[in-house]
Structure formats: C-alpha cells, structure tokens
Amino acid sequence: MFFLHELERTITLHPSFFGPRVKEYLTTRLLEDVEGTCTGQYYIIVVLDAFSISEGRVVPGSGVAEYTIQYRAVVCRPFKGETVDAIVTSVNRMGVFADVGPLPVFVSNHLIPSDIRWDPNATPPQYTDNGDQVIEKGTHLRIKLIGTRSDVGSMFAIGSVKEDFLGSATPDFLAYSD
C-alpha cells in the first residue's frame, strides 16, 4: 500500500522569483503542488526531499524559466485483494461508504455477511446482527479490496467484509500492541 517513489516534476517560475532563494522557493512550490494529490495510479502522501533541481531553462518569448525537480515521495497505491482498515463515512440501504486514508471505498450490501442486516429504524441507521456487530457512521472496518478504479485525478475502490476476520473492529483491536 505505501511505497517510496522517485518522481520528477517540471515547474515554471516567473522572473520576479529569480534570486538567491530560488531553490528554496522551488522546493516550497513543489510541496504545495504535489502533496495530497492523486495521479490516478497512486496518492502522493508526502514529499521527503528534492534531491535534484536542474538549472533553469528560459522559455523563449515568455521570460519564465522551467526547472525540472527530481524528488522522493511516500505514495499510497491500493491493490486488489489487499486487506485495509477503514472508517465508515456513510451508511444506506445499498451499502457502506468508508475511507481508507484518501481512498473512498464502497461495500455493497451483497458483500456484507447475510446475518448482518440493514436496520433503517435504528438511530443512526446501521447494519447490525442485533448483537456485537454494528456498522454505522464512524465504525472502524477491516475491508478486503476486491477492485479499484482509476480516473485522471481520483481513485475509488470496491470492498468486501464477507470473509473471515473482516468487518467491524473496535479501535483498541486496531491498535498494535507489543
């Protein structure tokens, strides 16, 4: 899910920013432009460092300069079949919407165990087995990703909680202990 990638980006800079602190400005601009974005294949979580900043190349006719920056970043790339921890954001009769960090995941009611049923009369509406299993907004879920879809600037996944060791989990169960 999380990887260290070496990436490259070209940034154009107006002549008013030329000066002794141009490299510092380029690094700041890189962080603002790429951190928290989605390329369609992965999310860029954080830029660790810019290890190579090229000499600026003036673009003829405009006066702006282009800089190519090579940098290392931590990226998040979900895979089909991966088991992830999520937090439920919305529950309706069609299924459950949850977030795995920046990735939205939908779990259809067909991919929820048959003993856990939709209860629209509960407050808040929820899926429950009338026992210890309750899926409502804010519930921590362990989900298996069964598919991902990528668009130009976003990603989306479909998940399941119909297998062993999947489903609602208490926050202390999710915490790692020694």
Side-chain angles (χ1 to χ4, degrees):
M1 175 149 249
F2 294 99
F3 300 96
L4 183 64
H5 263 304
E6 290 188 359
L7 302 167
E8 186 174 284
R9 181 158 181 107
T10 301
I11 294 179
T12 58
L13 197 59
H14 190 269
S16 63
F17 296 104
F18 296 168
R21 297 173 58 175
V22 69
K23 301 241 187 227
E24 181 182 319
Y25 179 76
L26 287 168
T27 304
T28 304
R29 176 105 178 264
L30 174 71
L31 296 175
E32 292 171 355
D33 288 352
V34 301
E35 279 188 347
T37 61
C38 179
T39 66
Q41 296 176 332
Y42 49 81
Y43 290 96
I44 299 175
I45 305 298
V46 66
V47 173
L48 298 176
D49 66 334
F51 61 87
S52 175
I53 299 176
S54 71
E55 293 295 321
R57 188 181 73 79
V58 177
V59 178
S62 67
V64 299
E66 282 186 346
Y67 291 87
T68 302
I69 302 174
Q70 294 178 330
Y71 62 97
R72 277 185 274 274
V74 176
V75 300
C76 171
R77 180 164 187 236
F79 290 98
K80 179 180 177 182
E82 186 173 14
T83 301
V84 294
D85 293 330
I87 297 176
V88 175
T89 56
S90 174
V91 179
N92 62 36
R93 66 181 181 84
M94 300 303 291
V96 174
F97 288 93
D99 285 339
V100 178
L103 178 70
V105 179
F106 177 69
V107 180
S108 169
N109 59 3
H110 299 290
L111 297 171
I112 296 174
S114 58
D115 60 326
I116 300 176
R117 299 194 186 280
W118 167 244
D119 185 3
N121 298 324
T123 306
Q126 60 190 356
Y127 282 90
T128 182
D129 65 352
N130 294 324
D132 60 343
Q133 289 274 350
V134 175
I135 301 174
E136 61 187 13
K137 185 176 179 177
T139 302
H140 292 260
L141 281 182
R142 182 145 299 145
I143 299 172
K144 180 176 182 181
L145 301 180
I146 57 172
T148 60
R149 184 187 74 206
S150 298
D151 290 333
V152 173
S154 64
M155 293 177 69
F156 188 77
I158 303 296
S160 171
V161 293
K162 210 168 186 174
E163 296 179 18
D164 291 339
F165 307 108
L166 300 179
S168 66
T170 59
D172 57 325
F173 174 73
L174 296 174
Y176 298 102
S177 60
D178 293 341

